Amino acid sequence: MPDVDEKKPFVKAEPADEIPIPAAAVLPRPRAPCVPRWLQFVLKLAFVAWLALTVRTWTRANVDKVVEMYEAEWLASAFADAPMPAVRHPHRRPHRKVLFGKKAEEKFLTVPNAESALAASRQYATKPHLAGSSGDYDTAVDFLKLLQTEFGITPPPSALPIYSAGTPESRNATLGITQLKRPTAWIDTYYPVMNTPLDHSLQILGEDGNPVWTAELEEVADFTDPEAGKYYDAVTAWHGLSRGGSAQGKLVYANYGRKEDYDELFEAGVDLNGAIVLARYGGNFRGLKVKGAQELGAAACLIYSDPRDDGTVTRDNGYAYYPYGPARNPNSVQRGSTQFLSIYPGDPTTPGYPSYENSTRTNGTNIPSIPSLPLSWANAEVLLKEISEGGQNRTVSLVNNVDDKVIPIWNTLGVIPGHIKDEVVVVGNHRDAWVMGATDPSSGTASVHEVVRGLGELLRSGWTPLRTIVIASWDAEEYGLIGSTEWGEDFADWIADHVVAYFNLDSSVSGSRYRALATPSLAHFVRSVAEEIEHPTQPGKSLWDATADKGVLTGHQLDEEALKVYEAAEAEISADGTGVGLLGSGSDFTVFVQRAGVASNNIGFQSTLQDPVYHYHSVFDSQHWQERYGDPGFKRHVAVAKHLGLQTVRLTDSIVLPINTTHHALQLEAYLNKVEDIASTTSLDVDFSGLRSAIHRLQHASAKLDHEKAKAEKRLRKYLRRLALRHLLRRNIRRAACRVRALLSSTACAPAEDDAPARAALAAPPQQPKEKTFECSAMKGGKGGAGSFLPFQPRIGRAPAWAKEQRAAAAAAADGKKHKDKDSFPFKRFRKAAKRVRAANEKLRAFERGFVHPDGIKDREWYRNLAVAPGKWLGYGATTFPALTEAFTIDKNATSAQYEAKRLQKLIEKIAHEIKV
């Protein structure tokens, strides 16, 4: 019997004669979902995140492309407060990538190559081109043609663009640089007083006054070195700007002819009155050797090249002399200027103002009043034996006749206008040589040749620099930095207003060690760029690593004094923690650093004590020596070109100038510490507390400026990307709308900016439309002809043109209103951010200019930079806080020292105020 408690499904009772209704089935239990709800939520969240990331990545990539295309133009428009047509009319502009920034740098670095640099070197370094000579003029024209070819400049149909300095044509060429819209090039002719040799002689006289020995003063060469053999007597071995005349006297040896060497002679009781001083090259500028002798009453000065200064590469160490080996040719002579470089450079007769053809001349105070001659080691060896122990110490007779006259020189300049036309970067290299100058300066000219080629390739690829670039080929540098100095004095105000940086290249390659000199504000920039260039001869290393390179020609014998001089120079360079040395003088950066206060640098490979001997200013500074010993393969020439060119492109296209004021401000304290160390060795009591406090205030102001320039650039880039995003969205919305319109109607949109075929079709000449005719309602079809009442097509005169003008005016008005409305955002903020960057850049420029004092340095007022200048008795080498330092070392006067400390304090306080944010 079934359990009475068993529940049965409910069955409705039905009549017997009806069909029974089946019982309802029991509903199955609901199954749990395959994917838990929490996992579904996670998957949905992951999908949304992936979608967002994809959109973001796509947007960023496309925004980067838009920025790449329009960055330079937008920045230029913002900096110049000009309209931004690329944003306002995106459908009217072709879609093209514009080289700028990193892309331009990468493109540039592909251009310089060894074959081209070698060809350029052979073009300039296989014939003499002394400043003012016909060969020099030919090289000026050659460089002009290079600029015209590479920069796409159409030469004038008639005469070459050669302008006499001071004429309206010459002045307008430079003063008009900031208004240029296309590249241009020209030659400026200046008219300095220089000299050329007439005749000279050097003899040892016997007791009867007759010569017992006559020196062979000219270099002796054969055709083992083809150019040296051909041109050994093309340029007489003499000193430029030396005093003409003759002298007789006893020889006195003065070692390097440094101030300390003359002081030792004076303290030893050696009388130089009427004597002929014999000094060796090295330690200081040759003109200051003559100056020291002159001030102690000497009648003349002889300067020779001593093999002891050649390091280990000497005949005593078993090396054959050039051209048969790497050691010094005993007949080689170092020509050079004997101008007193540390007093002032340039034309001796026009100090502080340019040498025009009709300039008023003065008696130069930076040139010697006693004659001098350069000597080879072969001749010096005879004289040293004459005055050595056991020598006869006979009278020496010297003759140096020269022709002092006004000689024209030629500076060649080329310009690439930038978007920001009132900020200019100048790149310079001198072109003149004492003979052929395969190293000095033609190795530099060959590297600049490659830089010009690289810039030309960028221009042909559509690049326009953000800032304007000036390429300068200076003349008469060898006589005393004359070409660059005269141009700098001629356009001093323009340089102060517009030049943001000067990059100098003298000699590219004379040895294996890379050297960079710069104002401290550019030290980090110079080094960081060098670290990105590959080492020319050692794969896996950078160009900066070459600053530790040295030659491989070793030997057991090495002169201790020569080693000390070399190591002292190296120590000066390494004093700055960056490894970048200071700029004193000796090349064309001088007028920019010391007179105008422009951030500058100078680079190149230099010789070490283990390198093949570089025959400085000799006929043996030849193409043969350069290809065999200096830079076989010309890889170092190319590395220098890449470093110089990359610096140029990067600084030119940088939003914020890469000028590091904080590093410079920190170095000022190191300069003061050095002065205090000097002061501690004297009995002079000078208070430096005010000066130190001023330096600390400058450091604080500079740190704030660092913060401000970083924020200013970040904000500008932020709005730059916003502009790009806006541009991208507008373009894509328009494309989508056009596609919808194309589906709904037969009317096509205007082609998008990247629709090249459609744009090409639009660019084709349109067919002439039929003239619009007058129509009335009675005309069938609205046209005259067979089916109309009028058998002709009546015209309405000027009505169509008038209507077209009215429509264009209305469209322009609407467009102007639209642009005005658009300037509210984001354009207005973008312009404001650009003005903030411009303000920061102006402060960076003001920092370097701030060290220039109008009164200059005591006794050499042409030099106006109170932070650094060539040492008064160094010429080349830099002295920091020069006026203050020399108050201790030369004047030894506490009153002068306190005055200079106070003058520096006021100057630095003023700089701190000018860069304050």
Side-chain angles (χ1 to χ4, degrees), residues 312-335:
T312 58
V313 190
T314 62
R315 296 180 73 179
D316 290 341
N317 280 325
Y319 294 101
Y321 66 82
Y322 182 80
Y324 310 106
R328 176 177 300 280
N329 185 304
N331 295 305
S332 67
V333 177
Q334 182 190 135
R335 297 162 182 81

Side-chain angles (χ1 to χ4, degrees), residues 514 523-535 540-547 577-580 643 646-647 650:
Y514 199 59
H524 284 91
F525 173 72
V526 173
R527 175 169 177 164
S528 65
V529 176
E531 289 173 339
E532 298 179 30
I533 305 295
E534 64 274 14
H535 193 288
K541 290 188 175 183
S542 73
L543 177 60
W544 187 253
D545 292 328
T547 57
T578 61
V580 176
H643 189 200
L646 187 56
Q647 287 183 84
R650 181 164 298 176

Side-chain angles (χ1 to χ4, degrees), residues 215-374:
E216 174 55 68
L217 294 176
E218 304 305 333
E219 295 178 288
V220 179
D222 60 31
F223 282 89
T224 306
D225 181 328
E227 288 79 27
K230 183 176 181 180
Y231 296 114
Y232 72 96
D233 61 350
V235 179
T236 297
W238 106 109
H239 283 145
L241 295 179
S242 59
R243 173 67 63 180
S246 60
Q248 290 187 8
K250 298 292 185 177
L251 284 175
V252 174
Y253 179 69
N255 198 20
Y256 285 110
R258 299 165 299 186
K259 186 178 186 302
E260 55 264 39
D261 293 320
Y262 286 120
D263 288 345
E264 286 182 11
L265 289 173
F266 181 79
E267 291 170 2
V270 178
D271 184 9
L272 266 65
N273 280 298
I276 295 179
V277 168
L278 177 63
R280 59 169 161 160
Y281 280 112
N284 63 351
F285 184 67
R286 72 186 70 79
L288 300 181
K289 301 177 191 291
V290 180
K291 185 175 187 290
Q294 171 184 307
E295 291 184 357
L296 291 176
C301 186
L302 300 169
I303 312 175
Y304 73 97
S305 301
D306 196 319
R308 289 181 293 168
D309 296 301
D310 295 335
T312 58
V313 190
T314 62
R315 296 180 73 179
D316 290 341
N317 280 325
Y319 294 101
Y321 66 82
Y322 182 80
Y324 310 106
R328 176 177 300 280
N329 185 304
N331 295 305
S332 67
V333 177
Q334 182 190 135
R335 297 162 182 81
S337 173
T338 51
Q339 179 190 72
F340 301 161
L341 186 61
S342 59
I343 305 302
Y344 65 89
D347 181 355
T349 66
T350 61
Y353 59 94
S355 52
Y356 298 156
E357 192 169 14
N358 59 351
S359 287
T360 300
R361 309 283 174 173
T362 66
N363 292 323
T365 59
N366 69 337
I367 49 178
S369 59
I370 62 172
S372 65
L373 284 175

